[in-house]
Amino acid sequence: MYGQLVPVGGGDPIPLLKKKLRIGRRDGCDIILNYANISGHHCLLEIYEGYWFIKDLRSRNGVKVEGKRILQGLRKRIDPGIVVSIAKHQFELEYEPTELGAYGTPPQDEQMDNFFAQSLLDRAGLNRRDNRQNDDDDE
């Protein structure tokens, strides 16, 4: 066993039996969450260098780590004890990184790598260049 997902607020823990797990509503998923707000193939959990990472598989209701939505297609590291929200369903991930082969500094998130690809103005939607171009088009 590679850890477990423990439902916040109570419920039976879900054992993590493989190093790569697809979570969703469909029968072919490794972990089936049979709720209307869970997509057929909602997200992917995968071990990398001894740490669990989660990736949103273009789900309809998203995935949050510690209350922050992760970008679709990018993976986010989940440290032990962190709360993950799959749609509105919250789970705490329990595992021991050293037992899964972790050593040294934890691997970085793809989320952070992509964070610096855009300027602060672009991320905030305040880039003035776009507004000036639109003004020029009106003339």
Side-chain angles (χ1 to χ4, degrees):
M1 189 165 88
Y2 299 100
Q4 59 185 3
L5 282 174
V6 180
V8 173
D12 294 332
I14 300 168
L16 305 175
L17 301 174
K18 298 184 337 187
K19 292 183 177 183
K20 189 174 185 178
L21 299 160
R22 186 179 306 250
I23 298 173
R25 200 175 65 236
R26 294 207 176 147
D27 289 336
C29 292
D30 300 300
I31 297 174
I32 299 170
L33 298 176
N34 198 9
Y35 300 102
N37 62 349
I38 299 288
S39 296
H41 297 273
H42 201 98
C43 58
L44 184 70
L45 278 176
E46 184 173 21
I47 295 175
Y48 176 70
E49 294 184 9
Y51 288 86
W52 279 104
F53 281 77
I54 193 164
K55 183 177 185 178
D56 188 342
L57 297 175
R58 301 181 192 263
S59 67
R60 196 170 195 181
N61 292 308
V63 175
K64 292 180 182 177
V65 175
E66 288 280 282
K68 296 177 186 168
R69 190 173 185 129
I70 63 171
L71 299 173
Q72 289 185 352
L74 298 180
R75 48 180 210 167
K76 172 85 174 126
R77 189 181 72 237
I78 307 169
D79 293 326
I82 295 293
V83 174
V84 175
S85 299
I86 302 171
K88 301 258 184 212
H89 309 278
Q90 294 186 325
F91 301 91
E92 184 178 332
L93 187 56
E94 293 181 353
Y95 72 101
E96 185 57 49
T98 54
E99 290 177 9
L100 302 181
Y103 61 91
T105 307
Q108 283 202 333
D109 299 327
E110 289 177 353
Q111 188 97 0
M112 283 306 292
D113 296 341
N114 192 45
F115 182 78
F116 296 105
Q118 288 183 302
S119 73
L120 285 171
L121 290 173
D122 287 339
R123 286 196 307 270
L126 300 173
N127 191 338
R128 298 194 84 170
R129 272 184 279 135
D130 294 337
N131 293 338
R132 276 191 238 135
Q133 285 177 344
N134 290 341
D135 291 342
D136 293 340
D137 292 341
D138 293 338
E139 294 176 2

